[in-house]
Amino acid sequence: MRVKRTHFLAIALLVAFFGLTSVARAQRAAVEETEQEINGIKHKGQRLLIQLDPKTVEKAWAGYLKEKSGGAVKGPSMLPTAKAQASKGIYTVEQGRIDTITSNPVRIVSKVEGTREGTQVWWTFDMGNAYLTKKETAKEWAAAEALLQQFARNLYIQDVRQQIADAEKVVVNTQADADRVVRQADELKNKIARNQQKKLDLEAALAANAQELEQLNKDVAQNLKQQQEAQKEVEKMRHAVELVKGKLEKIN
């Protein structure tokens, strides 16, 4: 039981460590104003770094865009062409509606890519008369910043939940292994008990065999005496027959 508790405690501490790390990352997720070149054109927009796998972030981002904008999300082409490679990680929405930012339809341009610092999520809005900037569109900037930070928080929460699920699987598998070892111990105890009983049975059988052998030897000795006595009786009878024959010869 001590081993099980120690293993479980180690897993719990591991989950807590990674969970706190993810929470800390989510709290530190700062949105920056940067320029990003999309299809040869530079735009100002918001940039956020997420310390998670780029594939995971990119897949989640496409779903998040669709959920928040309500429009069709156009993602990068899967074709192995130069044009397709140039659009790698780029997701756009032509007629998006995000009420917290503006009541009018907006064109959303975004890009997800892995960097040395982490996975970068960048986006901007074409609101007809202006693009998203911290100074010129302060209200829209704040609303968009909140959405971007919420996206990061959602991913970190999902990451922690996955860690917990993985740790729980480890606990289940570890418990199964522990139960298997216990069953093996019980089987070994039963085998030892059967072996000991077999030994006792063999010892009893050997003792009975020794007694039987001793009795057989006695019977053999007794049989030899009986054979000798029987042979003596045979000799007596033969002698008596000879005596009778002698009498018969005298009469003739």
Side-chain angles (χ1 to χ4, degrees):
M1 289 297 294
R2 185 177 180 181
V3 175
K4 293 180 185 177
R5 286 198 297 270
T6 302
H7 197 170
F8 181 79
L9 180 59
I11 293 171
L13 290 173
L14 186 65
V15 171
F17 171 76
F18 282 111
L20 289 174
T21 301
S22 295
V23 171
R25 286 171 178 168
Q27 291 174 344
R28 291 197 304 267
V31 176
E32 302 172 327
E33 183 176 36
T34 60
E35 277 192 342
Q36 180 73 45
E37 185 174 315
I38 304 293
N39 297 327
I41 303 174
K42 289 186 177 181
H43 302 284
K44 282 188 176 182
Q46 294 179 338
R47 171 181 181 261
L48 178 68
L49 285 174
I50 299 176
Q51 303 303 320
L52 292 174
D53 178 67
K55 290 184 179 179
T56 301
V57 176
E58 189 170 342
K59 183 178 179 181
W61 178 248
Y64 190 75
L65 265 185
K66 182 175 180 60
E67 175 191 344
K68 294 301 179 182
S69 69
V73 178
K74 182 181 178 182
S77 173
M78 300 300 290
L79 297 175
T81 62
K83 185 176 180 181
Q85 289 300 313
S87 66
K88 185 177 180 181
I90 298 175
Y91 292 85
T92 60
V93 178
E94 295 300 331
Q95 294 290 319
R97 288 184 177 275
I98 305 178
D99 294 338
T100 56
I101 295 177
T102 176
S103 58
N104 299 319
V106 294
R107 182 172 184 267
I108 304 171
V109 182
S110 68
K111 186 174 184 179
V112 180
E113 62 179 338
T115 69
R116 291 182 179 180
E117 300 168 298
T119 301
Q120 172 184 283
V121 178
W122 178 93
W123 72 344
T124 192
F125 300 90
D126 180 359
M127 294 174 285
N129 57 353
Y131 276 91
L132 187 66
T133 62
K134 192 171 186 179
K135 183 178 180 181
E136 296 175 4
T137 57
K139 180 181 177 182
E140 291 81 358
W141 174 277
E145 180 182 31
L147 288 174
L148 206 54
Q149 288 177 329
Q150 183 60 52
F151 171 70
R153 279 194 293 272
N154 291 348
L155 275 184
Y156 285 129
I157 290 171
Q158 180 181 341
D159 182 59
V160 172
R161 285 175 177 169
Q162 185 59 52
Q163 291 173 27
I164 293 172
D166 292 340
E168 287 176 343
K169 288 180 182 178
V170 172
V171 172
V172 170
N173 292 335
T174 303
Q175 184 62 54
D177 289 339
D179 293 341
R180 177 177 55 78
V181 172
V182 171
R183 288 196 301 271
Q184 287 179 343
D186 292 339
E187 291 173 1
L188 289 172
K189 289 178 182 178
N190 291 334
K191 286 183 178 179
I192 290 172
R194 289 195 296 268
N195 183 274
Q196 290 176 339
Q197 185 59 48
K198 188 175 181 180
K199 179 183 177 182
L200 293 175
D201 293 342
L202 288 173
E203 289 175 348
L206 286 172
N209 182 268
Q211 292 179 356
E212 183 180 5
L213 179 60
E214 183 180 359
Q215 184 60 46
L216 287 172
N217 288 330
K218 289 179 179 180
D219 292 343
V220 169
Q222 182 64 27
N223 181 265
L224 288 174
K225 290 181 180 180
Q226 290 176 346
Q227 287 183 47
Q228 291 173 355
E229 291 176 358
Q231 188 62 36
K232 288 179 181 179
E233 290 296 324
V234 170
E235 292 298 328
K236 286 180 181 181
M237 293 303 297
R238 284 179 178 174
H239 183 68
V241 170
E242 291 297 328
L243 289 176
V244 174
K245 285 182 179 180
K247 290 180 180 181
L248 182 60
E249 287 178 355
K250 289 178 180 181
I251 293 175
N252 294 331

